[in-house]
Amino acid sequence: LHRSRPSKWQVEVLHLPYGCCMVLGIIGNRKPASSSSYDDVTCFGWCNSSAVIEAGSYQWFLGSWDGWQAGDRGVFTYSPSEATLSLRLLRGGDVREFSIDNCRQPDGAFIYFYFTCKGVTVRFSRVA
């Protein structure tokens, strides 16, 4: 992602099998020490459970987040100057806004996808 200006991307959740864990967000570490890379202190994002990952730690029900569902479309914006990751969630006819503050990535940020099982299907696209 860009180090000096905001980056935007979109993820559509096409299929999410019951019981699978999915995290979508950013990470700053290209080679996390743990196989559970969402535990890395540079990881920030939203889970399909009601958890939000902040610096590798679970935060439950943060900002009324209730998890991903098949059919969701999320538009992400990472602003390195403000150290914020925001999510605009489109679900059915509803639009909800979420953000995570203090997610500075001094060595750069990377788009992050984490899935625990086969069968998860998402569509990724850049947003101009």
Side-chain angles (χ1 to χ4, degrees):
L1 299 173
H2 297 284
R3 289 183 184 217
S4 60
R5 61 183 167 91
S7 298
K8 282 187 147 186
W9 65 98
Q10 175 177 282
V11 177
E12 294 177 71
V13 181
L14 303 175
H15 184 68
L16 183 58
Y18 179 79
C20 288
C21 177
M22 177 176 81
V23 182
L24 303 175
I26 62 171
I27 194 165
N29 189 348
R30 283 183 186 234
K31 296 182 181 180
S34 169
S35 62
S36 300
S37 50
Y38 54 82
D39 288 340
D40 191 89
V41 296
T42 67
C43 186
F44 298 85
W46 290 271
C47 300
N48 65 307
S49 63
S50 54
V52 177
I53 304 293
E54 285 189 325
S57 296
Y58 278 91
Q59 306 297 323
W60 296 99
F61 305 104
L62 190 66
S64 74
W65 176 251
D66 61 357
W68 293 104
Q69 298 176 10
D72 284 350
R73 186 166 34 132
V75 179
F76 294 80
T77 304
Y78 172 61
S79 175
S81 62
E82 297 175 11
T84 59
L85 176 63
S86 62
L87 167 63
R88 185 170 195 243
L89 178 69
L90 298 99
R91 178 179 289 162
D94 295 332
V95 177
R96 296 167 59 195
E97 305 277 342
F98 303 92
S99 67
I100 303 172
D101 297 323
N102 302 315
C103 54
R104 189 164 313 284
Q105 303 287 358
D107 297 323
F110 305 92
I111 294 170
Y112 180 75
F113 295 87
Y114 179 87
F115 311 114
T116 60
C117 63
K118 295 179 181 179
V120 175
T121 309
V122 299
R123 180 180 300 135
F124 167 84
S125 58
R126 290 276 187 179
V127 176

